[in-house]
Amino acid sequence: MSILEYNGGAMIAMAGKDCVGIASDNRLGIQLQTVATDFRKVFGLNDKLFVGLAGLASDVQTVHQILKFRQDLYELREEREMTPSVLSNLLSNLLYEKRFGPYFVEPIVAGLTKENKPFLSGMDLIGAPVYTDDFVVSGTCTGNLYGM
């Protein structure tokens, strides 16, 4: 069993006409045992920007705190809100920095650009991004989310 499967999770983000949607389960489990049913995995960073983190629960919380800190620094330094492409690059670099002792998360970035066009990206645990136009899935049941 992979450490990414220890707490489980399912996440999907989809793009529509000038909109995006992101959804996940709220279950926190230890393999087959359910610990809680109110564990957040999707976080809104501003009105048009969301990140979903599937993976090990402690790393989900740690990466969210680091992202929030770096977003605040970015907005103070640049005096503007972070765009989805900037967040995707920031998150990819954050994960790649820790590639030899990685955070066990598979993130999804979903948001709207300045022109209100959808932006979707997903990454593996070392930050290799994939950009898509329609949907992206992450978590332990990606085969089911793909409809296989």
Side-chain angles (χ1 to χ4, degrees), residues 15-127:
K17 184 176 186 266
D18 299 334
C19 65
V20 293
I22 184 168
S24 78
D25 65 328
N26 289 330
R27 179 184 177 273
L28 172 64
I30 298 175
Q31 296 177 349
L32 296 176
Q33 178 184 7
T34 298
V35 176
T37 57
D38 59 352
F39 186 74
R40 289 184 56 203
K41 298 173 188 168
V42 175
F43 306 95
L45 299 178
N46 64 36
D47 292 340
K48 296 183 177 184
L49 184 59
F50 298 91
V51 64
L53 302 167
L56 191 63
S58 58
D59 287 349
V60 167
Q61 293 173 333
T62 302
V63 170
H64 173 249
Q65 289 174 351
I66 293 170
L67 281 178
K68 190 65 181 155
F69 174 73
R70 290 196 180 181
Q71 178 197 19
D72 292 343
L73 281 179
Y74 177 87
E75 291 177 358
L76 282 172
R77 189 176 302 140
E78 299 290 325
E79 297 180 359
R80 59 186 167 149
E81 285 191 344
M82 190 177 281
T83 63
S85 60
V86 170
L87 176 67
S88 183
N89 289 331
L90 184 143
L91 187 52
S92 180
N93 288 329
L94 169 70
L95 294 174
Y96 191 71
E97 286 172 5
K98 298 286 188 178
R99 66 189 175 276
F100 298 116
Y103 293 116
F104 294 105
V105 294
E106 293 178 325
I108 291 177
V109 175
L112 297 174
T113 63
K114 291 180 183 175
E115 298 82 28
N116 284 330
K117 298 296 176 196
F119 177 91
L120 297 174
S121 73
M123 289 163 225
D124 64 0
L125 65 137
I126 60 167

